[in-house]
Amino acid sequence: MTSFRQRGFFSREAGGQMFARLSPNHWKIEAATGPRRNDRRGRFHFWPDRKAEQEEINLFYEQGLEFVGDWHTHPEDVPRPSRSDITSVENIVRESVHQLPGILMCIVGRRAPPRGLWLSFHAS
Ligand SMILES: [Zn+2]
């Protein structure tokens, strides 16, 4: 994910999904997908290809990995979620059909982790 950090002025937002192997006390994130060819990307916006997302969810599920949240980049050093980021993660939590206690949101800023990485948990 950090290879898509928006360091150049014209670089575009990127994003994808995160998949984890779940045990009672741990989520071990084993895969992060994206960006995809059919995503629409701008400097301040990222609109994922929803059909491709569902295909990824099905594919990883067969390998024992559950969708646990989304990631995307921001053109700022230390990333903070925007109002629309919060709205969109709340919609995912509300609409999701699985049994998880919530969803992760990861935002990749321009600085190296950990300062340049936002990670939050949104309970259902
Ligand atoms: Zn954002």
Side-chain angles (χ1 to χ4, degrees):
M1 298 184 313
T2 56
S3 70
F4 293 102
R5 274 189 281 167
Q6 286 180 271
R7 281 173 290 201
F9 184 76
F10 294 108
S11 58
R12 300 173 300 166
E13 286 202 1
Q17 303 188 107
M18 299 180 290
F19 294 88
R21 199 170 297 279
L22 307 184
S23 57
N25 296 311
H26 292 96
W27 287 10
K28 185 178 177 215
I29 296 175
E30 293 193 0
T33 63
R36 299 166 218 90
R37 196 184 320 139
N38 293 329
D39 295 331
R40 292 163 58 216
R41 296 165 62 187
R43 178 162 151 76
F44 297 103
H45 301 283
F46 175 72
W47 298 276
D49 177 343
R50 294 291 173 197
K51 184 166 173 286
E53 282 189 335
Q54 189 57 50
E55 287 166 5
E56 287 174 3
I57 289 171
N58 298 343
L59 186 75
F60 282 103
Y61 190 77
E62 289 168 13
Q63 300 167 39
L65 298 177
E66 292 245 24
F67 168 74
V68 290
D70 291 322
W71 70 275
H72 67 282
T73 60
H74 270 191
E76 56 185 345
D77 292 341
V78 176
R80 294 268 170 253
S82 66
R83 187 176 294 268
S84 70
D85 289 336
I86 299 289
T87 305
S88 112
V89 75
E90 285 174 354
N91 286 339
I92 292 169
V93 166
R94 197 175 311 117
E95 292 162 11
S96 80
V97 291
H98 58 41
Q99 301 300 312
L100 299 181
I103 287 286
L104 290 168
M105 173 165 62
C106 179
I107 305 174
V108 178
R110 284 191 299 218
R111 286 183 61 160
R115 281 216 71 198
L117 201 65
W118 171 277
L119 192 64
S120 52
F121 182 75
H122 300 264
S124 44

